[in-house]
Amino acid sequence: CEVLINNSLEHSGFLNFNNQKNNTLNGLKIIRKKYKSIKYALKLRSDQYFFNTSTINGFIQLLNTYKIKNKKIHSRIISLSFSTLQNIPFHINDMFQFAYIDDLILYWSTPKDQNFSITWSDFIKEKDKLLFSKNTPEIYLNYSYYRFIKKNNIYNLKEYLKFLRDYFILIDNESIGFFWNKYLPINFQNNLVPKKFKSFSFLDWLIIQNDKN
């Protein structure tokens, strides 16, 4: 086991995005440099874990089953359905990911957030407006990845669903025994949140696989 310690950046970006990007990318690059035979990487927060011992083998099978035809990347990215939102474009969970390591390096190589003007007090005042703006880390990351792959700047729900359908796989917390002590299980219950903030489920993702529009 190796532990990588990163220094905090002077400009941390909106909601600490630049530190998250820096820490993740540095770790992935060290793995790629030192362990050239490793194909896959799992990215998650240090306060999250999962109990299902079949998880990694299951993930590899999913990547082999739902292949993509794109010369820029090897495969889809597996993410949690929790916090992958149905009605807010490009808000795909970035806390927990499994993919080919080179694809994750590409995903996290997005430019740093240059919007340093948003202070914590500004965020609290305009939380509802700012939380789901294009500067939100999840949206910023996934929209940047989308623009790299698709080479356009379309930003709407229809394009988001096509992107999610073709380049990601969503899995439910329960299927891997996912645990995150920061939030109680009740916070994962989709029926308790407003429609705007509804998350996808694995079945929702599976259904859109047949939507070729």
Side-chain angles (χ1 to χ4, degrees):
C1 177
E2 296 184 40
V3 177
L4 174 64
I5 299 177
N6 294 280
N7 294 323
S8 182
L9 300 176
E10 180 181 358
H11 299 298
S12 61
F14 183 43
L15 295 180
N16 206 40
F17 169 74
N18 290 341
N19 279 323
Q20 180 190 11
K21 164 191 155 57
N22 186 59
N23 296 349
T24 301
L25 193 55
N26 285 347
L28 290 168
K29 285 183 174 179
I30 286 178
I31 294 171
R32 168 49 65 234
K33 183 178 180 180
K34 295 184 68 174
Y35 307 100
K36 298 186 184 300
S37 63
I38 290 180
K39 289 184 178 181
Y40 307 101
L42 173 68
K43 183 266 182 192
L44 72 165
R45 288 171 52 119
S46 59
D47 59 349
Q48 297 174 341
Y49 49 95
F50 55 92
F51 295 101
N52 189 334
T53 56
S54 300
T55 294
I56 301 302
N57 286 336
F59 284 173
I60 293 172
Q61 293 230 9
L62 282 171
L63 293 181
N64 289 332
T65 301
Y66 294 96
K67 296 182 178 180
I68 59 174
K69 296 179 180 179
N70 190 304
K71 294 181 180 180
K72 297 178 183 177
I73 53 180
H74 296 87
S75 71
R76 298 169 184 255
I77 294 175
I78 298 177
S79 297
L80 288 177
S81 57
F82 163 66
S83 193
T84 298
L85 303 184
Q86 295 185 19
N87 298 303
I88 297 178
F90 297 96
H91 196 289
I92 303 171
N93 189 305
D94 66 346
M95 297 181 296
F96 184 103
Q97 298 174 323
F98 182 87
Y100 275 80
I101 188 168
D102 293 327
D103 293 337
L104 287 179
I105 288 173
L106 182 63
Y107 177 92
W108 286 96
S109 293
T110 186
K112 291 179 181 178
D113 178 13
Q114 302 298 324
N115 193 349
F116 308 133
S117 61
I118 300 176
T119 64
W120 183 251
S121 58
D122 290 336
F123 173 70
I124 294 300
K125 290 176 184 177
E126 300 187 72
K127 182 177 180 180
D128 291 340
K129 177 182 177 182
L130 293 174
L131 190 57
F132 298 107
S133 70
K134 288 184 182 180
N135 286 316
T136 300
E138 292 90 342
I139 297 173
Y140 181 81
L141 268 169
N142 290 295
Y143 190 48
S144 295
Y145 191 52
Y146 163 82
R147 286 182 292 172
F148 170 79
I149 292 173
K150 306 295 284 185
K151 299 300 181 185
N152 69 49
N153 295 312
I154 301 174
Y155 184 85
N156 57 39
L157 276 174
K158 182 178 180 180
E159 200 67 16
Y160 164 49
L161 291 177
K162 288 162 58 178
F163 178 60
L164 184 66
R165 176 195 69 195
D166 296 339
Y167 294 98
F168 286 82
I169 297 171
L170 298 183
I171 51 101
D172 296 335
N173 305 327
E174 297 81 3
S175 64
I176 61 170
F178 177 79
F179 185 79
W180 187 18
N181 196 43
K182 182 177 179 181
Y183 291 105
L184 297 173
I186 193 171
N187 295 93
F188 294 152
Q189 295 180 18
N190 227 8
N191 61 321
L192 300 178
V193 299
K195 181 179 179 180
K196 182 179 180 180
F197 306 131
K198 289 278 187 184
S199 294
F200 278 92
S201 67
F202 171 75
L203 287 179
D204 294 327
W205 174 83
L206 195 61
I207 288 170
I208 66 173
Q209 293 307 300
N210 294 320
D211 183 2
K212 300 305 179 184
N213 295 324

